[in-house]
Amino acid sequence: MNSSKRFGINEVNGLSHEEFVKCFGNVVEHCALAASAVYSSRPFKNFEDVRNRFENFVRNLNQEGKIGVILLHPDLAGKMLKTGQLTAESRREQAIGGFDSLTQEEHEKMAKWNGLYKNKFRFPFIQCVRENKKEVILRNLEIRYGNSIEVEIETNINEVIKIGALRLKDLIVDVKAGL
Amino acid sequence: MNSSKRFGINEVNGLSHEEFVKCFGNVVEHCALAASAVYSSRPFKNFEDVRNRFENFVRNLNQEGKIGVILLHPDLAGKMLKTGQLTAESRREQAIGGFDSLTQEEHEKMAKWNGLYKNKFRFPFIQCVRENKKEVILRNLEIRYGNSIEVEIETNINEVIKIGALRLKDLIVDVKAGL
């Protein structure tokens, strides 16, 4: 997702299904199905319309589907960042959040709490790193570890939707917001 | 999906999320999310249990999600078969069904009716080609063209589930059925 090449809404409406899934298939990490489902509702009125449809797709999944979405996300500052296996979007976001240059101490803390969190919930901790400083995110990880699984499914899904909205802003001109 | 290497259910239950999505990510064509959602319900009792969970995932999608699944399928004997862009599973199935060696007349008929069907419904015609002869499928395409969109969404989804069950049989030993 390259911020220098953004679509106007008419261009989005002119894309074939194949092109749309290629461009928007990672608005929700690794979920081509989200893009394919959203495509079926075209033509879109504006940026907000596309954003809402991605949100609706994710929110309308049943509990198993929501956990499926969450499980397709990588750990923050995890193994896949180290081994270069992240999607382009995740790599960029983790770099913006400073997660590719943690101190040794921060890295150990992150690894410890990511591990505890995953042991408890059996899915990864997700937080939109473009909106928060890494110190805040580390603190949130510790706090959220104390929540119930129901709360964490919904909290992760809210973060997935925030991440998706920012990825969409990299792809579509938001006329209303003047962006 | 190679029929010579099939998992026992214990092996399936031992797979990591990454391995599971890699192996089962195309049980529903291009739907990594289906595999990821199904993974969250492990451990599985047997083949039937896995099959049912894939079916439930697809059936529990809302209308937009179901159309999203349908849109991720290729045309039968379409452009992607010619240009070698099909997934390994679709290529194999279309070959078993004889769709890679249609006569000129059959090919023209298929192209004509695929086009009419897609113009009417705005999604492709799906039928499990391993269960039917190509002559039957061509006739079905003509008949189903007369249906309503609601009927065709459900008919396509039923076919997606049949195709997925056969793909699963290529991957998991079905002890109960002695296969």
Side-chain angles (χ1 to χ4, degrees):
Chain A
M1 300 198 182
N2 182 345
S3 59
S4 64
K5 156 88 181 91
R6 292 198 298 170
F7 296 105
I9 200 67
N10 290 338
E11 285 176 287
V12 174
N13 285 326
L15 295 175
S16 70
H17 176 262
E18 194 183 342
E19 291 165 337
F20 188 87
V21 172
K22 199 174 169 185
C23 294
F24 296 88
N26 219 46
V27 167
V28 181
E29 184 85 359
H30 290 303
C31 283
L33 177 54
S36 185
V38 166
Y39 175 83
S40 73
S41 301
R42 76 198 183 292
F44 308 109
K45 291 189 209 88
N46 48 34
F47 166 83
E48 207 52 29
D49 190 17
V50 185
R51 201 207 64 80
N52 289 343
R53 294 200 180 264
F54 272 98
E55 173 166 0
N56 288 343
F57 173 82
V58 175
R59 293 215 189 274
N60 281 320
L61 290 169
N62 65 10
Q63 199 79 327
E64 198 178 79
K66 283 178 181 164
I67 296 175
V69 167
I70 294 167
L71 283 167
L72 288 170
H73 284 71
D75 288 342
L76 270 175
K79 198 181 69 179
M80 295 182 88
L81 175 63
K82 272 195 209 166
T83 55
Q85 291 176 288
L86 290 180
T87 59
E89 294 85 352
S90 283
R91 190 173 61 242
R92 183 163 163 250
E93 288 156 3
Q94 296 208 22
I96 291 172
F99 286 88
D100 58 347
S101 56
L102 296 179
T103 65
Q104 182 66 18
E105 193 192 353
E106 286 169 334
H107 194 80
E108 282 166 14
K109 206 172 165 189
M110 198 77 214
K112 176 191 155 192
W113 284 98
N114 265 337
L116 285 169
Y117 184 97
K118 275 182 115 167
N119 269 346
K120 179 172 176 183
F121 298 112
R122 300 180 77 187
F123 51 67
F125 166 82
I126 303 173
Q127 185 145 17
C128 180
V129 295
R130 290 207 250 180
E131 286 191 338
N132 295 285
K133 290 193 172 168
K134 61 186 176 185
E135 295 76 16
V136 177
I137 290 172
L138 266 162
R139 200 160 60 242
N140 280 350
L141 172 48
E142 290 184 42
I143 294 167
R144 283 177 46 189
Y145 173 71
N147 287 340
S148 69
I149 187 163
E150 290 75 18
V151 167
E152 278 311 293
I153 291 169
E154 285 316 300
T155 308
N156 269 340
I157 288 295
N158 289 337
E159 295 298 319
V160 167
I161 288 161
K162 277 188 216 164
I163 293 166
L166 291 173
R167 289 182 179 184
L168 273 177
K169 282 199 179 181
D170 290 337
L171 286 165
I172 306 179
V173 180
D174 183 0
V175 176
K176 206 171 161 190
L179 295 171
Chain B
M1 301 199 182
N2 183 345
S3 59
S4 66
K5 156 86 181 94
R6 292 199 296 171
F7 296 105
I9 200 68
N10 290 339
E11 285 176 288
V12 174
N13 286 326
L15 295 175
S16 70
H17 176 262
E18 193 183 344
E19 290 165 337
F20 188 87
V21 172
K22 199 173 169 188
C23 294
F24 296 88
N26 220 46
V27 167
V28 182
E29 184 85 359
H30 292 302
C31 283
L33 177 55
S36 185
V38 166
Y39 176 83
S40 73
S41 301
R42 77 199 183 291
F44 308 108
K45 290 190 210 86
N46 48 34
F47 167 83
E48 207 52 30
D49 190 19
V50 185
R51 200 206 66 79
N52 289 342
R53 294 200 180 265
F54 271 98
E55 173 166 358
N56 289 343
F57 174 83
V58 176
R59 293 215 188 274
N60 282 321
L61 291 169
N62 65 9
Q63 200 79 327
E64 198 178 80
K66 283 179 181 165
I67 297 174
V69 167
I70 294 167
L71 282 168
L72 287 170
H73 284 70
D75 287 342
L76 270 175
K79 198 181 70 180
M80 295 183 87
L81 174 63
K82 271 194 209 164
T83 55
Q85 291 176 289
L86 290 180
T87 60
E89 294 85 352
S90 283
R91 191 173 61 242
R92 184 164 162 247
E93 288 156 2
Q94 296 208 21
I96 290 172
F99 286 87
D100 58 347
S101 56
L102 296 180
T103 64
Q104 181 65 18
E105 194 193 352
E106 286 169 333
H107 193 81
E108 281 167 15
K109 206 173 166 187
M110 197 77 215
K112 176 192 156 191
W113 284 97
N114 265 336
L116 285 169
Y117 184 97
K118 274 181 114 166
N119 269 345
K120 177 172 177 182
F121 298 112
R122 299 179 78 188
F123 50 68
F125 166 82
I126 303 174
Q127 184 146 17
C128 180
V129 294
R130 291 207 250 178
E131 285 192 336
N132 295 286
K133 290 192 171 168
K134 61 185 176 185
E135 295 76 16
V136 176
I137 290 172
L138 266 163
R139 202 162 58 242
N140 279 350
L141 171 47
E142 290 184 43
I143 295 168
R144 283 177 44 189
Y145 173 71
N147 286 339
S148 69
I149 187 163
E150 290 75 19
V151 167
E152 279 311 293
I153 290 169
E154 285 316 299
T155 308
N156 269 341
I157 288 297
N158 289 338
E159 295 298 319
V160 167
I161 288 162
K162 278 188 215 165
I163 293 165
L166 291 173
R167 290 182 178 183
L168 273 176
K169 283 201 178 180
D170 290 337
L171 286 165
I172 305 179
V173 179
D174 183 1
V175 177
K176 207 171 160 192
L179 294 169

